[in-house]
Amino acid sequence: MSLSKPIYNCLQKVTLLLLLLLTLSTGAYAEIEVAEGSLDGDLYSNPSQHDANISKRLKRIYAQFPGLAEVEVKVDAGVVTLSGNVLAKDVAVKAAEIAGRLPQVVAVNNTLQQESAIGERVNPALEKARSLLTAFITWLPLVLAALLWLGVFFWLARVVSKLDRLFGRVTPNIFVARIAAQIAGMLTFIFGLYTVLELFGATAILGTLLGAAGVVGLALGFALKDSVENFISSLMLSVRQPFSANDLVRIDEYQGFVSRLTTRATILLTFEGNHVRLPNSLVFKAVIINYTRHAQRRFDFVVGVSTDIDLNHAETLALDTLDGMEGVLKDPKPQALIEALGDSNVVLHIYAWIDQTQYSYVKVKSEAIRLIKVCFDEAEIGMPEPTYNLKWLGAKGITLSEAPEAEAPSRPKPPQASPVAESRPKGAADLRPETDIKQQLDADQASNDENLLDDNAKKEI
């Protein structure tokens, strides 16, 4: 009896708990059913009204597009049916996409057909052409005024780009002045173009064009690297002027007279009369020897004399010969120095200076060698040939020293000078500078207008 009462109480509590859970669950289901009932009433209480709203909204949207204004729209239970004719297939696809984006649309039945009637397809094109013609007639006076204004600035830019002398007052270099004038002309035209674009309210295009020009210029810079390098080298050579026209120079292994300097190359005229065209990029980086920059130039040559003569007498004789020679400068004085003791002779090194503006370098050097040879011959100063000691091994190993002494061959006498050579006095040779090369240089420079070298420009020392 004591055990049944607790069990009874426990069963009673469990029963009450089940009743409570049943009550709560019944209320939740009631709320869900009410909510679903209200939603059903909101959505499906009047389906025809929803279809009409979808149809009206689509028609208002299609009315905003010229190609969709004539599309017929039917809606039944949320299914949209599109019918009618359109000018292109993409227009029909666009109409179906618009309809599919609306809420409460279940599906889209697209039955639109492409218009095939000539009148229906030509009329829109004629209307568009008519509108373009109207716009052209409206803008024509403004376009003509803009073209006239742009033409004025184009002419003004050409005038400014030719003011080399005006910009020459700022910089003495003619090439730099020419570039400055061209840049000023370009800026003038750009300013005129900017005013025209401002007139049409399209100044943003100029920024786009300048940006595109920068990109194109960068690409061209990489593609035309050699040409750009030659142009920059031309500018640097024109400013620094390491040589002038008609200068005798050596550029690496090339030697000749400078004919002209262009925007791409340096033209040399060799002693043989040939043209050597050197890229300015190579010239700018090369080792340049300018033989003409200074009027005084030293020539030298060596002569071998016998070892049994008085060397002081030979030096004095050579110096006296050079002192009395035409074309050799007295200051700096000529020099005769002993350079080496050879196997069979003593080597004298002769130095002398000339004025290149008055005399020819090669002619004076040649005449100096000739006169010293004549003078040494008159003074019986021998210039022996090299002597060699030979050992010959015969069949029995006999050397030349053991062989019978043979008479030494007599040295042949020098040939007698012709009467014409003897009649020519010392220093009577024509030592003036060559005129043939000078005439060729003048003719070559006269036949070409482009020359960036300026005789009045400051020269590089």
Side-chain angles (χ1 to χ4, degrees), residues 151-288:
V152 170
F153 271 90
F154 180 76
W155 172 81
L156 187 61
R158 289 176 59 89
V159 172
V160 173
S161 61
K162 294 180 179 180
L163 298 178
D164 297 347
R165 295 183 178 179
L166 177 62
F167 289 93
R169 298 179 180 179
V170 181
T171 173
N173 188 275
I174 184 173
F175 188 37
V176 177
R178 188 181 305 170
I179 293 177
Q182 292 176 356
I183 292 176
M186 185 183 302
L187 293 177
T188 302
F189 179 75
I190 291 177
F191 177 76
L193 180 62
Y194 176 79
T195 56
V196 170
L197 294 177
E198 183 68 26
L199 185 65
F200 286 95
T203 53
I205 298 178
L206 184 60
T208 304
L209 292 177
L210 292 177
V215 175
V216 172
L218 184 61
L220 291 178
F222 283 106
L224 305 175
K225 179 183 177 182
D226 294 338
S227 299
V228 174
E229 186 177 4
N230 281 330
F231 181 80
I232 296 176
S233 300
S234 304
L235 178 62
M236 299 300 297
L237 290 173
S238 176
V239 172
R240 298 175 62 180
Q241 296 267 349
F243 43 74
S244 301
N246 303 332
D247 281 359
L248 176 61
V249 298
R250 177 183 290 274
I251 302 175
D252 286 345
E253 70 271 19
Y254 305 100
Q255 180 173 331
F257 295 90
V258 178
S259 176
R260 62 189 183 276
L261 172 67
T262 67
T263 55
R264 296 185 58 188
T266 299
I267 312 300
L268 299 183
L269 183 64
T270 64
F271 289 101
E272 296 80 14
N274 300 321
H275 282 81
V276 179
R277 185 183 183 90
L278 302 177
N280 286 331
S281 58
L282 182 147
V283 176
F284 183 72
K285 294 181 290 187
V287 176
I288 302 175

Side-chain angles (χ1 to χ4, degrees), residues 301-307 311 315 336-351:
F301 58 92
V302 295
V303 58
V305 297
S306 178
T307 57
L311 296 179
E315 292 179 356
L337 304 176
I338 299 176
E339 184 175 273
L341 293 175
D343 296 335
S344 57
N345 61 2
V346 179
V347 180
L348 294 182
H349 206 145
I350 312 299
Y351 301 91

